[in-house]
Amino acid sequence: MNLWPNLAENVNSEARKYTTIFLPEYRVDESYDATPIPAGEVYCRIWLVEMRLAKDVDWFKHRYAVVHAAVRFHHGGEAVTIPYMAGPGHLKELATENLDRVIQYNYPLTPLFPFNQGLVELQAGLFSVAANDPIGKFIKTIGRFSDLLPVPELSKVIKLAEPVYRAIEDLLDIGERRLELGYQQTFSEAGGGGNNTLRAGYFAAILAPDNEINSTQLCIVNDSLKVGSPGTTRVFMRDSKPLEGYTYMLFRLEKRITQDWESLTSIKELVDQAQIAINEGKYEAVKSFLLPAIKTAIYRSPDVAKADRRQMVLKIEDFLRELGLQASSVPSRSLFSIMQRPVPPVDTQTEVDLAALEKLFEQ
């Protein structure tokens, strides 16, 4: 997908001066783990949490807001770009009578994806479009298609990403639009030594020169960017006030140690079939056919973190073996339930088999 440079070119050529900041965890009201993220171990999701539109644009009388974002990361060994677009239909809190106000949004720009390798890149642009521009009626339609992409099993909808991205770019190219705030950032895995390490937390792009913003006073309260007492204490939670007078976008990078297991339908369906077959007394058929298919599906899935492949295989195989020893049929268990089981002991032959699988499906 050779689309990534398009939004970057707009940001580089048209964006006005902005300040960017990654807020330290002690400036956030909710506790979380901000440890740098190594590749292959966790799942990530990027959110557009909040935005504010300052009064220097006559919103909705002459122009209205459109957000265009794109996130690129490795999925199944290939770089994929997930586009996103929101027009006035998404930004429901905006109207002519509430200018210069915060829009609580919390929209996922990506699904919960495994960070298995490479870089994670974010580009976002807040555009204003002329209110009399005829492209307005098409923006809502394209926005609906972009809503289909941040789903847990991304592999099933990934083919939609390129046409949606192209449609967004084409739409903005023909419209009378202006870039009000552009932002781009590239995150790398733990150990790189820079300030752009991939980690959970909040980060913001503010339309203002660096010397206008006192970053030590910025804080997050109730998923909103505020100004409060500086320092490492929690006093800011009590005395914080909105950051007013600036256009900005607030993002959050979410980190989870487990996937939404029930969303992995291709693996889940195979596990369900295996349980039904065992309850029908077909355990040998499960060992010969379904269990190898389950293992292959796990190791081929781009929606599973590398560190989870091994334990998924071990837990599912152990559960099916245990189920096969039951004297009578028992209720089926969900994939989520199976994944809550402890990892069973591993014998030498199983270690050899898992090593062979890892090498076969190495990405």
Side-chain angles (χ1 to χ4, degrees), residues 205-237:
I206 307 169
L207 189 57
D210 289 337
N211 59 4
E212 283 190 16
I213 301 294
N214 185 349
S215 61
T216 65
Q217 291 183 310
L218 295 178
C219 55
I220 302 295
V221 179
N222 294 327
D223 273 345
S224 185
L225 186 61
K226 306 280 189 180
V227 177
S229 301
T232 59
T233 68
R234 295 282 174 153
V235 176
F236 69 85
M237 295 176 60

Side-chain angles (χ1 to χ4, degrees), residues 124-273:
L126 172 58
F127 295 85
S128 66
V129 178
N132 60 353
D133 198 311
I135 72 169
K137 62 182 180 181
F138 299 108
I139 289 177
K140 184 176 181 180
T141 300
I142 299 300
R144 286 175 178 170
F145 279 104
S146 68
D147 287 346
L148 300 176
L149 292 170
V151 296
E153 198 167 25
L154 177 61
S155 53
K156 290 201 170 184
V157 297
I158 195 63
K159 290 183 180 180
L160 281 175
E162 182 168 355
V164 169
Y165 195 118
R166 289 192 184 279
I168 294 172
E169 293 289 326
D170 291 346
L171 199 57
L172 290 176
D173 281 344
I174 65 174
E176 187 188 333
R177 55 93 176 130
R178 184 173 69 215
L179 182 63
E180 303 293 340
L181 173 60
Y183 173 75
Q184 55 183 334
Q185 180 63 274
T186 300
F187 299 98
S188 63
E189 68 172 294
N195 292 321
N196 64 328
T197 302
L198 189 69
R199 60 194 187 277
Y202 292 81
F203 53 101
I206 307 169
L207 189 57
D210 289 337
N211 59 4
E212 283 190 16
I213 301 294
N214 185 349
S215 61
T216 65
Q217 291 183 310
L218 295 178
C219 55
I220 302 295
V221 179
N222 294 327
D223 273 345
S224 185
L225 186 61
K226 306 280 189 180
V227 177
S229 301
T232 59
T233 68
R234 295 282 174 153
V235 176
F236 69 85
M237 295 176 60
R238 185 179 65 247
D239 65 11
S240 62
K241 298 178 181 179
L243 174 65
E244 297 180 330
Y246 297 97
T247 292
Y248 66 78
M249 292 183 287
L250 176 66
F251 303 91
R252 179 169 70 93
L253 198 150
E254 174 187 4
K255 177 181 73 173
R256 290 189 177 273
I257 59 173
T258 61
Q259 177 62 285
D260 177 8
W261 304 118
E262 292 299 295
S263 71
L264 305 181
T265 55
S266 57
I267 298 172
K268 180 178 180 296
E269 288 169 0
L270 286 171
V271 174
D272 290 344
Q273 291 175 27

